[in-house]
Amino acid sequence: MKCPFCGYDDSKVLDTRPTDEGYTIRRRRECLKCQKRFTTYEKIEKSPVMVIKKDGNRQAFDRDKIVRGMIKSCEKRPVSADEIEEAVNNIEKKIENSMRREITSLEIGDMVMEELKDLDEVSYVRFASVYREFKDLQSFVDELENFVKKKN
Ligand SMILES: [Zn+2]
């Protein structure tokens, strides 16, 4: 970052603070040559979507995490890596189009299930069983019945 006064291109940061709810970082700098002070702003190019987890914690949306979850569910199933990529693209697009800054992990899970439903039934059931954390066999059977009903 060049000094606006003398053009020297090295400065030290005196103070860093987030503004605009953390989407902009403001830095107070001092030129190493002329010692004059100036301010720079760093903006996040695209505000990341935050995922609200079950325990209430927030985490930046992580596409790879979804891919990994889907690969696990699709293990030894006739679902190609390309199909998984495409499914995750669909999910990303849906979230982007919603223009939301926050989404719950539950909603993402539902979107994954929506995609898997069309791709492969076994993968769908595998994912559902992990993601829904079925407490007992009955709730698992209920989900399966729901699934079959939706399909027919
Ligand atoms: Zn300077």
Side-chain angles (χ1 to χ4, degrees):
M1 206 69 84
K2 275 191 176 165
C3 168
F5 305 100
C6 72
Y8 192 67
D9 57 16
D10 208 354
S11 58
K12 70 173 174 190
V13 176
L14 304 170
D15 185 30
T16 300
R17 63 182 63 178
T19 56
D20 182 28
E21 287 173 347
Y23 289 104
T24 308
I25 304 279
R26 177 183 174 277
R27 289 192 211 279
R28 196 75 185 131
R29 295 170 183 269
E30 188 182 84
C31 174
L32 290 182
K33 199 178 168 200
C34 72
Q35 270 89 49
K36 279 189 177 131
R37 292 179 177 187
F38 56 99
T39 305
T40 56
Y41 291 93
E42 236 170 70
K43 254 190 196 298
I44 293 167
E45 197 178 275
K46 193 176 152 199
S47 48
V49 173
M50 297 307 285
V51 178
I52 306 167
K53 298 193 296 179
K54 275 182 204 153
D55 59 11
N57 285 332
R58 282 167 172 73
Q59 218 171 44
F61 176 80
D62 182 359
R63 176 197 165 92
D64 292 342
K65 225 176 183 175
I66 300 177
V67 173
R68 280 197 301 273
M70 286 188 76
I71 288 174
K72 223 181 198 173
S73 304
C74 298
E75 208 174 38
K76 292 183 185 151
R77 295 298 305 164
V79 181
S80 70
D82 282 349
E83 283 173 317
I84 291 177
E85 273 299 306
E86 206 193 307
V88 178
N89 284 346
N90 290 340
I91 292 168
E92 263 192 319
K93 251 182 249 158
K94 257 186 222 168
I95 297 171
E96 252 171 55
N97 291 341
S98 73
M99 303 287 281
R100 287 168 56 189
R101 274 188 170 172
E102 290 188 331
I103 188 162
T104 64
S105 56
L106 234 60
E107 288 172 290
I108 292 180
D110 283 342
M111 289 183 199
V112 173
M113 286 174 56
E114 201 64 41
E115 294 293 330
L116 283 176
K117 206 157 56 183
D118 298 332
L119 282 176
D120 181 57
E121 286 174 29
V122 172
S123 305
Y124 169 85
V125 172
R126 275 189 198 152
F127 183 84
S129 65
V130 173
Y131 153 72
R132 288 271 164 95
E133 292 169 3
F134 296 110
K135 286 181 196 79
D136 50 59
L137 189 60
Q138 190 52 49
S139 51
F140 186 59
V141 171
D142 289 347
E143 178 70 32
L144 277 182
E145 277 173 354
N146 263 337
F147 173 59
V148 174
K149 256 184 245 157
K150 270 186 209 164
K151 271 213 100 166
N152 297 328

